[in-house]
Amino acid sequence: MATANIRVQCSICNKGNTTYICRGCSKDFCFQHLTEHRQILQRQLDEIINDHDQFQQTIIQQKQNPLNSSLIQQINQWEKNSIHQIQQTAQQCRETLMKLTQKSINDVEKKFIELSKKLKEIHEENEFNEIDLNHFQLKLTKITEEFLQPSNISIRQDSQEFIKKISVISSFAQIQTKANKFQQVASTVAGGNGDGQELNQLFNPWGILIDNDNSIYTADCHNHRIVKWKLNSKTGEIIAGENRYGNENNQLNNPRDIVFDEKNNSFIISDNENNRVIRYFDKNRTNQQIIVSNIDCWGLTIDKNGFIYVSDCENNEVRRWKQGDKKGELVAGGNGKGNHLNQLNVPTYIFIDEDYSLYISDLSNHRVMKWEKGTKEGIIVAGGNGPGYSLNQLSYPLGVIVDHLGQIYVVDRDNARVMRWCEGDEEGEIVVGGNGQGNQSNQLDWPQGLSFDKEENLYVVDSWNHRIQKFKKL
């Protein structure tokens, strides 16, 4: 910090003893005042550290309570002021209206009293005819209308803005709020060479997984294997089940779904006909683990904590499994087969969002259910109006995923299409397909799994065409 100088005056006491120059402020200090100077700097550093720690605490509090920010408070104040202004104006209008209404009632009452007198007179005199009766009837009708709908009082809305609108502006890139659109003609990115067991073929694929390199993993169901197709590859690579079907550790039997467990660097496979869910280590194919046994498993999903969710078609339920669990925790269904909100009827593919809400394709109820964490029943977020082709219907839904906007994409199997629903909407919209069952590039035939890549392109497992179709995002 300081360098010694001989016979240079101290900038504080002006004495010419040995002094030390501070490299920060370029001033000379004797030893005593150098010590004091260092103490001052230390206090300033302590203040900076204190400010730093306070700001760090502010960041933590802001992340925990984002609604406490000053900008949110500005919005809240605008809302409060606007409501007060509206209430104040509404009260003034009510008071004015009550005064005018009372005056109108008084006027009508006078006319009514006058009419009553005339009616009484002709009734007592007993001299009246059709003309008199029509006259009195018209008078009474007019007075009644004037009372119920006074023509001299109305409510007017000014064209000028009463409340100043506010909006949020930012220099950040705009946050997407509109739904994606996709090309309606797909490209085949895996299979598409008829059914078979060659490496360029698939045989009724079901589940799908896309990794960060846009490699495709699919449960090649009737080939009893999991196959990886690298980006732009013409052939696949078998990563599990290369020993024909069976129940040994190195065999599969009609696998239906696959997810990747990043924490354990392993694949989780729904090995349906073997009634088990297995963990498969890609780098060590001889060391497989049975996670769940004796289960009619179909769909899989995994949350950000590494907990695995499995749909059970036989017991009509979904359970969450942690490492070492013997039974798993019931999170949806489990109340027998049925169509009540606490029941499922053949749950198939499932999806978990960041809030741990679980989306379930409820196959034989022709609906998608959303079960929020800790709830005893779900809500219908797609379909639920019986099987059919209308936009408010699904017919045997399968693959289901939810995008960052909370929009639900679901495979509508028997209608050979993919639908998109927003929670609360009565109808969905066709995203891709819907052109009849077929093998053209704009058609699907018994579609199954569904996935996005990191560019938000849409992938559909076109099972009976033995291929995977990619619909590019527009």
Side-chain angles (χ1 to χ4, degrees):
M1 170 191 165
T3 303
N5 291 323
I6 307 298
R7 297 299 176 186
V8 176
Q9 288 185 339
C10 172
S11 60
I12 302 297
C13 64
N14 295 322
K15 293 181 179 180
N17 297 327
T18 300
T19 59
Y20 303 85
I21 185 170
C22 174
R23 294 179 182 175
C25 64
S26 300
K27 292 182 179 180
D28 294 291
F29 299 95
C30 64
F31 183 77
Q32 177 184 346
H33 290 111
L34 175 64
T35 302
E36 293 176 358
H37 183 62
R38 288 178 60 86
Q39 290 172 347
I40 292 172
L41 294 179
Q42 184 62 50
R43 286 196 297 271
Q44 291 175 349
L45 176 60
D46 292 341
E47 290 175 0
I48 293 173
I49 291 174
N50 183 60
D51 291 342
H52 165 273
D53 293 344
Q54 288 183 359
F55 181 61
Q56 184 180 41
Q57 188 62 31
T58 301
I59 292 175
I60 294 172
Q61 291 174 351
Q62 185 65 49
K63 289 175 69 176
Q64 293 175 343
N65 301 291
L67 293 179
N68 289 338
S69 75
S70 60
L71 293 175
I72 290 290
Q73 290 173 9
Q74 287 183 41
I75 295 173
N76 293 343
Q77 189 61 48
W78 170 85
E79 180 184 35
K80 183 178 178 180
N81 293 342
S82 299
I83 291 173
H84 176 71
Q85 191 174 355
I86 291 170
Q87 290 175 334
Q88 192 176 42
T89 303
Q91 183 60 28
Q92 291 172 353
C93 289
R94 276 192 289 265
E95 291 173 357
T96 302
L97 180 61
M98 289 173 67
K99 291 177 182 178
L100 293 173
T101 301
Q102 189 59 51
K103 184 179 184 305
S104 177
I105 291 173
N106 292 339
D107 292 343
V108 169
E109 194 172 24
K110 288 179 182 178
K111 295 177 182 178
F112 181 73
I113 292 172
E114 185 179 342
L115 179 63
S116 298
K117 288 180 180 179
K118 291 182 178 180
L119 278 172
K120 185 178 180 181
E121 288 175 2
I122 66 167
H123 185 265
E124 290 176 349
E125 294 173 357
N126 199 24
E127 289 188 8
F128 53 88
N129 53 36
E130 291 86 352
I131 296 175
D132 296 321
L133 295 178
N134 287 335
H135 172 75
F136 284 118
Q137 183 63 57
L138 288 173
K139 277 277 189 181
L140 182 60
T141 300
K142 186 176 180 180
I143 292 173
T144 302
E145 290 176 351
E146 189 176 341
F147 177 76
L148 296 176
Q149 295 179 337
S151 59
N152 54 357
I153 304 175
S154 62
I155 305 298
R156 182 188 67 186
Q157 293 190 27
D158 293 337
S159 58
Q160 187 176 359
E161 282 189 1
F162 174 58
I163 300 297
K164 291 183 178 180
K165 293 182 180 179
I166 63 171
S167 60
V168 178
I169 58 174
S170 170
S171 59
F172 293 126
Q174 290 297 310
I175 298 173
Q176 181 184 351
T177 57
K178 293 185 178 180
N180 288 334
K181 293 184 178 180
F182 303 89
Q183 289 183 356
Q184 295 303 296
V185 176
S187 58
T188 300
V189 291
N193 297 300
D195 64 277
Q197 59 183 358
E198 300 300 323
L199 291 180
N200 69 339
Q201 293 179 306
L202 298 169
F203 191 2
N204 294 135
W206 285 39
I208 184 173
L209 165 69
I210 311 289
D211 69 13
N212 291 330
D213 297 324
N214 283 355
S215 292
I216 301 164
Y217 299 80
T218 185
D220 191 7
C221 185
H222 290 166
N223 278 327
H224 315 288
R225 65 190 185 184
I226 304 297
V227 184
K228 174 183 179 180
W229 291 66
K230 293 182 179 179
L231 182 65
N232 299 324
S233 177
K234 300 298 183 183
T235 59
E237 170 193 356
I238 301 172
I239 65 166
E242 53 193 340
N243 298 292
R244 300 180 61 83
Y245 72 91
N247 60 7
E248 300 297 328
N249 278 350
N250 61 353
Q251 293 178 308
L252 300 171
N253 193 347
N254 284 357
R256 289 189 174 179
D257 204 6
I258 177 174
V259 294
F260 187 70
D261 182 355
E262 293 183 0
K263 289 190 174 182
N264 292 288
N265 195 32
S266 60
F267 295 99
I268 311 298
I269 301 171
S270 173
D271 190 11
N272 177 259
E273 291 296 325
N274 283 326
N275 299 114
R276 66 188 183 184
V277 177
I278 64 172
R279 184 186 300 277
Y280 196 94
F281 297 92
D282 188 28
K283 303 300 182 183
N284 185 1
R285 300 187 180 185
T286 61
N287 184 26
Q288 314 315 327
Q289 297 176 355
I290 297 176
I291 300 175
V292 186
S293 57
N294 300 317
I295 181 173
D296 187 8
C297 50
W298 191 317
L300 302 171
T301 191
I302 188 167
D303 67 23
K304 55 190 176 185
N305 295 319
F307 297 161
I308 300 163
Y309 299 72
V310 186
S311 64
D312 184 340
C313 300
E314 181 178 355
N315 292 314
N316 296 291
E317 64 185 23
V318 179
R319 288 185 177 269
R320 178 175 61 209
W321 299 80
K322 296 180 288 187
Q323 189 75 27
D325 275 355
K326 298 297 182 182
K327 189 175 181 180
E329 179 184 356
L330 180 68
V331 292
N335 296 297
K337 180 189 297 185
N339 61 3
H340 295 295
L341 294 180
N342 67 341
Q343 293 179 305
L344 299 168
N345 190 355
V346 190
T348 60
Y349 293 95
I350 53 180
F351 179 90
I352 192 93
D353 68 13
E354 289 293 313
D355 298 322
Y356 303 100
S357 291
L358 187 66
Y359 296 80
I360 306 167
S361 274
D362 193 8
L363 184 76
S364 295
N365 281 327
H366 312 286
R367 66 189 185 184
V368 175
M369 299 291 290
K370 176 184 178 181
W371 290 65
E372 295 182 347
K373 183 180 179 181
T375 56
K376 298 298 183 183
E377 62 181 31
I379 58 174
I380 300 171
V381 292
N385 297 298
Y389 188 74
S390 299
L391 293 179
N392 69 340
Q393 293 177 302
L394 296 170
S395 192
Y396 298 98
L398 289 171
V400 60
I401 51 177
V402 181
D403 68 12
H404 64 284
L405 297 177
Q407 298 177 119
I408 303 147
Y409 292 72
V410 56
V411 166
D412 189 8
R413 188 192 70 186
D414 281 17
N415 289 320
R417 64 190 184 184
V418 176
M419 299 284 289
R420 177 168 57 207
W421 295 66
C422 291
E423 185 176 336
D425 286 356
E426 294 183 0
E427 293 185 345
E429 61 177 324
I430 300 173
V431 177
V432 296
N435 301 303
Q437 292 181 343
N439 60 6
Q440 300 301 309
S441 296
N442 67 341
Q443 292 180 306
L444 302 167
D445 196 353
W446 266 56
Q448 291 276 342
L450 201 59
S451 186
F452 288 121
D453 64 19
K454 59 186 179 182
E455 286 85 27
E456 298 181 334
N457 300 306
L458 182 64
Y459 294 74
V460 184
V461 178
D462 192 9
S463 184
W464 280 13
N465 283 322
H466 316 289
R467 66 187 182 184
I468 294 176
Q469 298 293 85
K470 175 182 177 181
F471 294 88
K472 284 188 176 181
K473 172 188 169 185
L474 295 175

